[in-house]
């Protein structure tokens, strides 16, 4: 059993699908996915096969594996809450149908708006803070900061906002640009 940690795997679905295809070619069969810890579990097989994976996300009870998909050789590999990982052994040129990505596109677009808003909020509050500090220093010549342990909390939140929010925004934008 091999466990692989892949943070932010759902932000770039095509890249994750290609990675799963390569793992199958190396002889690792996907057994489970743990969405909370962003971990994939694989079992090593003696023979490697050309398996093609497709990741789908549906919040409704709608089954992403319709009858035409089943007839075309798709099967459900893993289902974890709203995530569905489908697989087929048919090469791309022989496939006549492909699973729909509507739920996944909607999810990632909402996440893009959320992280984009967080990035804009961090940028605006930082500019506002610097502007007010600059005006205070220019006119009064002195800026007083109270010694308070909550400044450390504020600093940690600001650092997290300035690192995670822009990274997630850019990663979501680049990873989902082909779908728009």
């Amino acid at each position: 059993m091999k466990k692989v940690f892949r943070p932010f795997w759902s932000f770039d679905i095509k890249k994750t699908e290609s990675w799963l295809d390569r793992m199958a070619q190396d002889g690792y069969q996907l057994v489970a996915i743990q969405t909370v810890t962003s971990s994939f579990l694989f079992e090593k097989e003696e023979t490697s096969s050309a398996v093609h994976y497709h990741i789908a996300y549906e919040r409704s009870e709608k089954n992403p594996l319709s009858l035409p998909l089943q007839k075309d050789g798709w099967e459900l590999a893993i289902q974890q809450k709203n995530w569905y990982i489908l697989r087929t052994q048919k090469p791309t040129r022989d496939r006549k149908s492909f699973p729909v990505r509507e739920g996944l596109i909607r999810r990632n677009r909402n996440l893009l708006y959320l992280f984009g808003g967080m990035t804009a909020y961090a940028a605006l509050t930082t500019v506002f803070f610097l502007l007010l500090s600059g005006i205070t220093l220019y006119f009064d010549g002195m800026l007083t900061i109270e010694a308070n342990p909550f400044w450390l909390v504020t600093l940690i939140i600001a650092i997290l906002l300035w690192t995670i929010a822009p990274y997630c925004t850019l990663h979501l934008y680049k990873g989902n640009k082909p779908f728009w």
Side-chain angles (χ1 to χ4, degrees):
M1 183 87 42
K2 180 177 183 176
K3 185 175 185 177
V4 180
F5 174 67
R6 298 237 343 161
F8 307 112
W9 65 271
S10 65
F11 290 0
D12 193 346
I13 293 298
K14 288 208 179 268
K15 187 175 179 181
T16 302
E17 289 172 348
S18 297
W19 172 72
L20 288 171
D21 293 349
R22 285 192 311 273
M23 291 295 285
Q25 288 174 352
D26 292 341
Y28 290 100
Q29 187 67 31
L30 182 64
V31 178
I33 181 173
Q34 297 171 347
T35 56
V36 175
T37 60
S38 296
S39 300
F40 292 80
L41 297 171
F42 296 93
E43 276 186 2
K44 180 72 171 163
E45 292 184 345
E46 297 299 320
T47 59
S48 62
S49 59
V51 176
H52 303 283
Y53 287 95
H54 183 90
I55 299 173
Y57 181 86
E58 280 297 328
R59 292 187 74 170
S60 66
E61 297 294 323
K62 188 168 72 171
N63 184 5
L65 195 57
S66 63
L67 190 59
L69 288 174
Q70 291 175 6
K71 287 182 180 178
D72 200 25
W74 290 96
E75 63 182 11
L76 183 63
I78 304 289
Q79 178 184 356
Q80 178 67 30
K81 294 185 182 178
N82 298 331
W83 291 99
Y84 298 88
I85 300 181
L86 309 173
R87 71 175 163 224
T88 185
Q89 292 187 347
K90 279 188 169 182
T92 306
R93 67 182 179 283
D94 294 340
R95 286 184 243 156
K96 296 176 184 152
S97 59
F98 292 89
V100 178
R101 293 197 191 268
E102 182 181 326
L104 183 64
I105 293 168
R106 189 178 322 112
R107 174 197 177 268
N108 284 354
R109 186 180 305 131
N110 290 340
L111 283 175
L112 179 65
Y113 293 153
L114 173 72
F115 286 116
M118 289 170 60
T119 302
Y121 173 77
L124 288 174
T125 55
T126 302
V127 167
F128 190 64
F129 173 76
L130 293 174
L131 182 66
L132 287 178
S133 297
I135 289 171
T136 303
L137 283 173
Y138 181 75
F139 288 111
D140 291 342
M142 186 169 70
L143 187 63
T144 306
I145 298 175
E146 287 288 324
N148 191 334
F150 288 115
W151 277 108
L152 181 62
V153 173
T154 304
L155 184 63
I156 290 171
I157 290 172
I159 290 171
L160 285 174
L161 268 176
W162 269 112
T163 55
I164 293 175
Y167 174 79
C168 290
T169 302
L170 291 173
H171 202 65
L172 276 164
Y173 181 76
K174 286 192 310 187
N176 293 295
K177 195 174 183 180
F179 300 130
W180 295 330

